[in-house]
Amino acid sequence: MALPQLIPSHSSSSSSLTHQPSISPNAVSPYLLNPNFKPFFNSSSLFQSRRFHRLSSLRCFASSFPEKRHPYPPQSDESVRLPLFPLPLVLFPGAVLPLQIFEFRYRIMMHTLLHTDLRFGVIYSDPVGGTSDVGCVGDIFKHERLVDDRFFLICKGQERFRVTNIVRKKPYLVAEVNWLEDRPSSDEDLEGIADEVESCMKDVIRLSNRLNGKPVKEAQDLRRNLFPTPFSFFVGSTFEGAPKEQQALLELEDTAARLRREKGTLRNTLNYLSAASAVKDVFPSS
């Protein structure tokens, strides 16, 4: 599901690694596949979406891929080595990401992963800010190797991690990482905050449909019985065109803080849509 134009309530900032690999992955997230989306800022971040929109078709034939799972539940104080795949997008726990692997070094990585645990780290990278040091594990659960040695794969976001040390840079990036978990919240009503965020999302969807001339109907159950923490990740994954804001949300280690920040962004977006709707009522032809 994609939300319309988002207006973040905070200035997005994230820590970064000194290493900044130069890559051109043929990849795009399923929640960055809205060609009609017009972001409020940093529109260049959607070049992958426009260029590689065809990858959305992966979701249609994914069930034909061979399936293999190698889960290994991490401990928060455990440091492990993880191959990293820098991308101009942010993967959240629970989100699904289709990728096409064609660059030689990442094909080497894929051959290694196919004989190990099929897990790698997706980490946000952009030419200006560099490579962030907080990312999300991608667990490959569908893959197809093509005759020219390219790979189509679909992975699902799992645990978050923080890079503590770069082990090597060639042929691909490998780092030591520690796992990130949200700290236990205080006596805040997480369920109540999550319900408020869901209500804001429904209002944004309703007004967006109205502005786009689509039937205005009550949005479905967006929480889908999710607990507050996974729901906060789901909300973050819908913030199209704002990877820096998504990265800031991914790095937060407090569910309540993440939900409050998302609520602020949704309310700002709702105010913008309300104003646009009022203008449309006064000037219907525009």
Side-chain angles (χ1 to χ4, degrees), residues 35-53:
N36 298 318
F37 175 71
K38 299 178 180 179
F40 179 70
F41 58 90
N42 194 17
S43 59
S44 63
S45 64
L46 286 184
F47 79 96
Q48 292 290 93
S49 175
R50 292 192 294 268
R51 185 178 178 187
F52 303 120
H53 180 80

Side-chain angles (χ1 to χ4, degrees), residues 40 84 103 106 120 138 193 284:
F40 179 70
L84 299 183
E103 193 172 344
Y106 295 115
F120 62 98
I193 301 175

Side-chain angles (χ1 to χ4, degrees), residues 158-172:
Q158 300 292 342
E159 303 84 7
R160 293 175 298 157
F161 62 84
R162 184 183 302 277
V163 175
T164 58
N165 181 46
I166 300 297
V167 176
R168 72 166 190 258
K169 299 179 181 180
K170 294 182 179 181
Y172 50 84

Side-chain angles (χ1 to χ4, degrees), residues 124-140:
Y124 174 63
S125 177
D126 75 81
V128 177
T131 304
S132 302
D133 63 1
V134 172
C136 180
V137 171
D139 186 6
I140 302 171

Side-chain angles (χ1 to χ4, degrees), residues 7-280:
I7 305 178
S9 57
H10 298 71
S11 60
S12 300
S13 61
S14 60
S15 54
S16 61
L17 298 173
T18 55
H19 174 72
Q20 183 178 341
S22 174
I23 62 171
S24 56
N26 189 354
V28 65
S29 164
Y31 42 78
L32 294 176
L33 292 175
N34 184 354
N36 298 318
F37 175 71
K38 299 178 180 179
F40 179 70
F41 58 90
N42 194 17
S43 59
S44 63
S45 64
L46 286 184
F47 79 96
Q48 292 290 93
S49 175
R50 292 192 294 268
R51 185 178 178 187
F52 303 120
H53 180 80
R54 64 182 181 274
L55 283 183
S56 60
S57 62
L58 280 175
R59 289 174 288 177
C60 299
F61 58 85
S63 60
S64 64
F65 294 172
E67 183 163 348
K68 183 179 181 182
R69 301 298 296 273
H70 290 267
Y72 73 120
Q75 302 296 323
S76 58
D77 58 350
E78 178 186 2
S79 180
V80 299
R81 291 190 176 187
L82 192 67
L84 299 183
F85 196 176
L87 290 170
L89 53 85
V90 178
L91 177 65
F92 282 86
V96 175
L97 176 65
L99 292 170
Q100 180 182 169
I101 307 297
F102 68 93
E103 193 172 344
F104 180 69
R105 54 178 163 170
Y106 295 115
R107 283 186 284 156
I108 295 176
M109 184 178 75
M110 275 300 302
H111 283 286
T112 302
L113 293 177
L114 290 176
H115 292 89
T116 55
D117 60 8
L118 290 178
R119 291 162 63 92
F120 62 98
V122 175
I123 197 160
Y124 174 63
S125 177
D126 75 81
V128 177
T131 304
S132 302
D133 63 1
V134 172
C136 180
V137 171
D139 186 6
I140 302 171
F141 64 94
K142 305 285 183 182
H143 67 274
E144 180 182 34
R145 181 180 175 183
L146 305 181
V147 291
D148 58 0
D149 207 33
R150 286 182 297 124
F151 288 88
F152 283 135
L153 61 91
I154 301 179
C155 62
K156 185 174 183 180
Q158 300 292 342
E159 303 84 7
R160 293 175 298 157
F161 62 84
R162 184 183 302 277
V163 175
T164 58
N165 181 46
I166 300 297
V167 176
R168 72 166 190 258
K169 299 179 181 180
K170 294 182 179 181
Y172 50 84
L173 196 62
V174 176
E176 290 182 348
V177 305
N178 287 335
W179 307 111
L180 287 184
E181 295 180 358
D182 277 6
R183 295 185 295 268
S185 297
S186 57
D187 295 332
E188 293 186 81
D189 181 14
L190 289 181
E191 290 290 339
I193 301 175
D195 288 340
E196 292 174 5
V197 171
E198 181 186 29
S199 178
C200 288
M201 288 186 72
K202 290 181 177 180
D203 290 340
V204 168
I205 294 170
R206 175 179 53 80
L207 266 182
S208 176
N209 287 339
R210 182 175 184 274
L211 283 170
N212 292 319
K214 297 179 181 179
V216 179
K217 56 183 180 180
E218 185 65 23
Q220 58 185 347
D221 177 20
L222 300 177
R223 283 197 63 180
R224 300 169 297 175
N225 296 319
L226 290 175
F227 288 109
T229 297
F231 178 65
S232 71
F233 291 138
F234 163 73
V235 176
S237 73
T238 66
F239 284 9
E240 288 192 348
K244 292 183 179 179
E245 175 66 14
Q246 289 183 311
Q247 181 64 30
L249 292 169
L250 185 74
E251 293 183 7
L252 288 174
E253 297 179 53
D254 184 287
T255 300
R258 188 180 303 110
L259 287 169
R260 284 196 300 267
R261 181 162 179 157
E262 291 167 343
K263 184 172 72 170
T265 296
L266 289 167
R267 281 184 171 175
N268 287 347
T269 303
L270 187 59
N271 290 337
Y272 170 85
L273 292 175
S274 297
S277 180
V279 171
K280 184 176 181 180

